[in-house]
Amino acid sequence: MLAAMPSENNRRLELFRLALVLIDRGNRELPHPLSLHFDDVLHQARILSDDPSAISPDVTPQAVQLANDMRVYEGLRDALAGVNSIGDVSQTIAHEVLRNLEPRLASAY
């Protein structure tokens, strides 16, 4: 039952992930506030990923989490390469980013 609960990481990046899930499912018409949120989080995360000392009170917790994930997981960095805004995210890119945002679970074998 605990495995079915969303991880803390999933909850922190909930709206960022929602935008990706909608695109992955073929929906290109996202609500404007969701698009703005995605762009803000991505922009802030890129700055922090490049320069962690750029942290400020204006940086959202979602951006901090994404920046950390981008520094730790090369696949996520690669999946987001060339993405500067939500308009750059194709269905294929959304799928790849989501795959790299999934919780890293130990193999059962």
Side-chain angles (χ1 to χ4, degrees):
M1 177 158 55
L2 291 176
M5 292 178 58
S7 71
E8 184 65 28
N9 184 42
N10 285 349
R11 285 195 303 270
R12 246 180 278 176
L13 292 171
E14 194 169 64
L15 294 175
F16 187 83
R17 291 172 60 83
L18 175 60
L20 292 166
V21 167
L22 291 172
I23 292 171
D24 186 40
R25 292 182 180 168
N27 185 346
R28 294 296 304 164
E29 299 298 320
L30 301 182
H32 187 66
L34 183 58
S35 296
L36 287 177
H37 176 78
F38 181 94
D39 291 350
D40 287 344
V41 169
L42 181 61
H43 177 73
Q44 291 176 8
R46 282 248 166 81
I47 291 170
L48 285 177
S49 171
D50 293 340
D51 180 13
S53 68
I55 192 79
S56 75
D58 297 329
V59 175
T60 65
Q62 296 87 4
V64 173
Q65 182 63 48
L66 183 60
N68 184 59
D69 289 353
M70 289 170 65
R71 291 178 61 91
V72 172
Y73 303 114
E74 186 176 329
L76 181 57
R77 274 193 312 273
D78 293 345
L80 287 169
V83 175
N84 296 309
S85 72
I86 195 72
D88 297 331
V89 180
S90 67
Q91 197 169 4
T92 302
I93 291 171
H95 184 78
E96 188 64 19
V97 173
L98 284 168
R99 192 173 68 76
N100 283 283
L101 278 175
E102 294 302 317
R104 274 70 180 169
L105 300 176
S107 172
Y109 300 100

